[in-house]
Amino acid sequence: MSFAFDQVRRIDAQLDQLQFSTNFSSTSSPVLRHANIDSTDIQRVEQAEGTVDRIRKIQNVIKDLSTSASSQTNTVSSTVESSLKNALAEFKKSDRESVKPYESNLEWCAVGKAAAQTYGLVLSSLLDDILPLSNDIWYWDEVLGSYTYSSLYTVQISPLRLFAWSKDIYQDAKDRFRDLTGGEDPQLYQSVTARWHRFYGIVKESIHDRSIANLQSKFMSPLTEARAEARHNQNNLKKLRDLNASALGILVDEGFSLETDDSGTLLESAWKQSLSKSVLLMNAVLERLAASPDLSVHDVEEQSFNQVDDYVDSEGSDWSQAPALAQNLLEIVSKRVPAHRMTMSQNIARYGKPPRLIRYWVPAIALLLSSGTIARIFFRRKDAIQAWVQDLGTTTKDFWYNWVVEPIKNLIGTIRHDEESEIALMSKESLQGDRASLERMVVDFAVDNPDISGGRQLSEHQIADVRSKVREGDLTPVLKAYEKDLRKPFRGALHGELVRALLIQIQKTKVDVEVAIGGIDALLKSQELVFGFIGLTPSLLLCFGVSRWLVQAFGKGGRVKARRRGRMSRVLRNIDRVLTLSRPTPNHTIPYKDRGLLLYEIHMLRQLGQATLPGDIKRDFLEDLNDLVESRSGVSGQLRILERIQRAYEKYIQ
C-alpha cells in the first residue's frame, strides 16, 4: 500500500461512517440500504420502477468505487472513468427539480466515492514521477560530481553533437544553394559536376560563417559544454520536481480537509462544500501544471487558489451540484491526468539521462571491435582453458568431499557413537596383550629363580600374588635379580639373569607407555565432538565466504539490497535537509513545496523500506512514517520523529 491509497482509504472510511451514522429504515431491501428513507418514501420508490432501477445503478457505482469492494490497492483509472460515465448517465435521466432527498444523498455518496478515487489517482500520478525524476537527478549528480564521468558523458553525446552540427550545416548550405540557383542562369549548373562543385563551395562557406558565429563557444572545451548541458538538465528536473512537490503539498494540505466532530464523523452541513472545493482545486492544480513549464512555484500556488475562488464566486456557477461535480471529475480522470503524465514523460525524456543506446555505445563498439581478438585468444588457448576448468572442477569436488562431506559424516558418526569414527592412538587389544605378556614373563622369572623368593618353589598362592603385583606395576622379583647380577655385570650377563631382567624391564616400559597412551586416548575420546567441529569449521567458513562473495559479485540480490540501503540513507538525509531548511509558516507548518518534497522523500523511503526491511519490522516502520507525515507538533516534532527513525532502524539502513 502507498501513501495515496492511505489517503483514499481514510476519505472512503469517513464517507462510509457518514452514511451509516444516520438512522436507516427498518427495511431489509439491499437496494435502499444507502439512503435515509422513511416508510412513505419506500412505498413511493416501490411504485416507481424507474426510480428503483436508477437507485440500483447508482448503488452499483458506489460499490465499484468503494475501496473495500476491490482487492486491489487502488482503483484503476478506467474503472473510475467508466463509473463516472454511468453515474452521469443516471444523473441526466432525472429532473433535477424533482430529485428526492434520498436520491440526492445517493448521488452525493457516489460523487464522494469517485472524488476520493480521483484524488488517489492524482496523488499517485504525482508520486509516480518521483522515481524517474530522482533517478535522473542522481544521474546528473554523478556526471557533475566527477570529471571522469563528465568526460565519459562528453564522449557519449559526441555523435549527437556531430549529427546536429552536420544537419545545421547541410540545411544552411541547401538553403543557400537554392537561393543562388534561383537567381542565376540555370544553364550554368546543368552538369552534375558543376552542381556538386558549387554545393561543396557553399558548404565550406556555411562552415566558415558558422564558425565565426560560434566563435564564443570555441573558448569552451567540449567537457565544459557537456557539464553546462548536464547542469541545465539537472536544474530543469529540479524545477519540475519543485512544481510537482508544490502541487502535491497543496492537494494534501488543502484538499479533502473534511470537517469532523469529536467522534470523527463528518459534519453533514460542510462536507459537500469541502468536497466540491477539493475537486475544483485538483482541476486547477493540474491545469496550472500543464499550462506553462515556466511558471514558478509561487505562481502555481497563487493561480490555483485564485482560479478556485473565481469559480466559486462567479454567478450562476453550479460548482456545488453533484452532476457538475461528476463532470469535473470525469474531465480530471479522462483529460487532466493523462495530459499531466504525457507532459511529464516528455519533459523527463527531454531533460533526463540519455537513452541506453547513447550511454552504452562506447563499450558496445569496443566489445565489437575486440571480439575477434578475444575469440582468437580463446581458440588458441582452448586446451589450456579446458584443462584449467577441469582442474578447477576436480579441486572443488575433492575439497567438497574430503573437507566438507567426510568430516560431516565423521561428526555424525561421533554423535551416534560409531566405533569406526572414534579417535584412537592405538588399538584397544594392544595394551591387554602386552600386559598379559609382562605377567607371564615375571611369573616365569619368579618360578625359574625361587632363591629370590626364599629358596622354595612358589605355590599357587604366591604365583597369584606375583601376578596381582605385576598388574599394579610391582616387579620386585625381577628387580632383585637385576640388582644381584648388576654387582658383577659381566658374569651376570654370561651366566646370570641380567639380560633377561633387562628385557623384562623393557617390556614393562612398553606397557607403561601404552598405559599413558591409553590415557591420552580417553582424553581424545571425551573431546572427540569438539575436535570434529574444529576440523569442520575452516572448510565451512571457506565455503561460506566464497559463496557470499559470489552472491555479492554476480548475484543481483546483494547488490540491489546494498543499493537500496544506500538510497534509504540518502533519503533520510534529504528529509532532514527539507525540514531543516524549510521556513515555517506562522502556524508552525512548512510551505507547500517543502511539504510536497517531504512527502516525496517519505514515499521513496516507504517503498525502499518495504523492499528491504524484515516483515516484523515493516509495521513499526510504516507507523513511524505515518507519524512523520501527520505530525501536528510542527517542524520540531517532525525532526524528533526523524531522529527516532534513524536511531531505531540504524542497523537496517547502514
Side-chain angles (χ1 to χ4, degrees), residues 261-454:
D261 54 15
D262 296 336
S263 62
T265 305
L266 293 176
L267 298 177
E268 189 173 359
S269 59
W271 76 272
K272 295 179 181 179
Q273 184 177 3
S274 178
L275 181 67
S276 302
K277 289 184 177 181
S278 299
V279 174
L280 295 177
L281 184 61
M282 282 192 295
N283 195 3
V285 167
L286 292 177
E287 186 177 353
R288 291 300 96 197
L289 288 179
S292 174
D294 298 330
L295 290 177
S296 63
V297 172
H298 177 72
D299 293 337
V300 171
E301 295 175 359
E302 184 177 3
Q303 292 181 15
S304 298
F305 288 115
N306 290 338
Q307 181 176 344
V308 174
D309 294 337
D310 293 341
Y311 193 79
V312 171
D313 296 337
S314 61
E315 296 182 0
S317 175
D318 55 352
W319 62 275
S320 60
Q321 300 297 324
L325 203 61
Q327 186 64 42
N328 287 334
L329 290 172
L330 182 60
E331 183 179 359
I332 292 173
V333 174
S334 60
K335 296 181 180 180
R336 300 297 185 195
V337 174
H340 171 72
R341 290 176 177 172
M342 182 179 297
T343 303
M344 284 301 303
S345 300
Q346 294 174 353
N347 289 329
I348 291 175
R350 180 179 179 184
Y351 301 116
K353 57 186 177 183
R356 292 185 177 179
L357 180 62
I358 302 300
R359 284 180 287 152
Y360 298 113
W361 71 267
V362 175
I365 291 180
L367 181 61
L368 181 63
L369 294 178
S370 60
S371 59
T373 304
I374 296 174
R376 285 194 297 270
I377 292 174
F378 274 97
F379 182 77
R380 291 174 182 176
R381 299 179 178 272
K382 180 177 65 175
D383 296 336
I385 293 174
Q386 290 179 352
W388 180 80
V389 172
Q390 291 177 356
D391 292 341
L392 179 63
T394 303
T395 303
T396 304
K397 180 180 178 181
D398 292 342
F399 171 79
W400 177 257
Y401 281 101
N402 295 333
W403 295 96
V404 178
V405 177
E406 290 298 330
I408 291 177
K409 289 182 178 179
N410 294 334
L411 189 64
I412 295 174
T414 301
I415 296 174
R416 295 179 177 178
H417 293 283
D418 188 0
E419 294 182 357
E420 296 181 358
S421 64
E422 291 181 355
I423 301 176
L425 299 179
M426 64 178 186
S427 62
K428 297 180 179 180
E429 305 297 332
S430 176
L431 178 60
Q432 297 178 1
D434 290 339
R435 182 176 289 177
S437 176
L438 179 62
E439 292 179 4
R440 290 192 298 270
M441 290 180 182
V442 175
V443 169
D444 292 342
F445 185 87
V447 172
D448 294 341
N449 298 279
D451 55 334
I452 299 176
S453 302

